[in-house]
């Protein structure tokens, strides 16, 4: 039985798609730039500040859709492994309750006692951490697996997971 931790945003939840939708609705003129690019590369300072204010309010995080295959794969892995959700929600403190409620709504089988809200993910004692930011593997005792995302496509991190089908087929 492996101890496996998963980041929430852009791993379990399709945060990029939700952010893109918010931008396209709030700033339609950005729609042509939003696909496949980091948002801070084309937003004005005012738009960028509004974007971060919206994230800081926290409610956004409760409405994000799960990544394709995430719920089913987590349900399956939960039968054989000890699972954790490790999210940097402390960077957006008002998001914590919304993320907690999201897990209860979308992952009713998940032990909510295994949700870790932190900024430094090396504090968790796990065999694997699947995250979309390679810097979160610093100091980790277990193996970091980089979940593919728009913002990390140029990363040279060697251990990459493409999608939830690859998570399902990984030999933990």
């Amino acid at each position: 039985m492996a101890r496996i931790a998963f980041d929430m945003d852009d791993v379990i939840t399709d945060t990029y798609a939700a952010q893109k939708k918010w931008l396209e609705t709030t700033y339609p003129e950005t729609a042509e730039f939003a696909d496949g690019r980091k948002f801070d590369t084309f937003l004005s300072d005012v738009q960028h500040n509004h974007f971060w204010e919206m994230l800081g309010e926290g409610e956004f995080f409760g409405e994000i859709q799960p990544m394709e295959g995430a719920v089913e794969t987590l349900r399956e892995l939960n039968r054989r492994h000890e699972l954790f959700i490790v999210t940097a929600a402390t960077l957006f403190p008002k998001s914590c309750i919304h993320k907690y409620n999201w897990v209860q709504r979308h992952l009713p089988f998940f032990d909510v006692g295994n949700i870790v809200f932190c900024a430094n993910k090396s504090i968790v004692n796990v065999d694997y951490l699947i995250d979309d930011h390679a810097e979160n593997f610093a100091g980790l005792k277990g193996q970091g697996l980089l979940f593919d995302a728009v913002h990390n496509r140029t990363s040279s991190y060697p251990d990459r997971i493409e999608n939830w089908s690859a998570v399902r087929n990984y030999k933990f």
Side-chain angles (χ1 to χ4, degrees):
M1 175 187 284
R3 294 169 54 94
I4 310 166
F6 298 87
D7 179 34
M8 199 160 175
D9 295 306
D10 286 320
V11 176
I12 296 174
T13 63
D14 198 349
T15 307
Y16 180 82
Q19 290 172 335
K20 182 180 170 209
K21 181 178 178 182
W22 182 88
L23 283 172
E24 290 171 344
T25 303
T26 309
Y27 298 108
E29 69 277 13
T30 67
E32 68 181 281
F33 302 108
D35 213 14
R37 291 178 58 192
K38 293 181 182 181
F39 300 141
D40 60 358
T41 63
F42 61 85
L43 294 178
S44 71
D45 288 344
V46 170
Q47 292 169 333
H48 193 261
N49 289 340
H50 186 205
F51 176 70
W52 284 98
E53 286 172 10
M54 177 275 300
L55 293 177
E57 292 168 2
E59 294 171 8
F60 168 84
F61 295 97
E63 301 305 318
I64 302 171
Q65 293 300 306
M67 286 281 200
E68 183 179 335
V71 173
E72 300 81 7
T73 302
L74 287 168
R75 182 179 285 116
E76 182 182 313
L77 290 173
N78 193 54
R79 293 183 189 119
R80 299 186 319 265
H81 303 288
E82 187 174 10
L83 304 185
F84 299 86
I85 292 174
V86 182
T87 179
T90 55
L91 301 174
F92 299 101
K94 292 180 181 177
S95 74
C96 293
I97 189 63
H98 299 286
K99 288 184 174 202
Y100 179 88
N101 290 338
W102 189 99
V103 171
Q104 287 192 308
R105 189 170 60 252
H106 292 277
L107 308 173
F109 55 87
F110 193 85
D111 180 358
V112 293
N114 286 0
I115 301 172
V116 181
F117 297 110
C118 63
N120 177 359
K121 296 182 182 184
S122 71
I123 67 168
V124 295
N125 179 19
V126 293
D127 301 306
Y128 301 93
L129 169 61
I130 299 176
D131 202 296
D132 60 307
H133 291 282
E135 61 267 17
N136 288 327
F137 305 140
L140 185 71
K141 292 187 173 103
Q143 171 67 49
L145 299 171
L146 186 64
F147 196 87
D148 187 61
V150 168
H151 55 268
N152 69 28
R153 298 249 163 87
T154 60
S155 171
S156 61
Y157 192 81
D159 299 312
R160 184 177 288 271
I161 295 282
E162 274 189 48
N163 53 38
W164 279 93
S165 177
V167 172
R168 175 179 275 124
N169 295 323
Y170 195 85
K171 302 297 180 204
F172 292 106

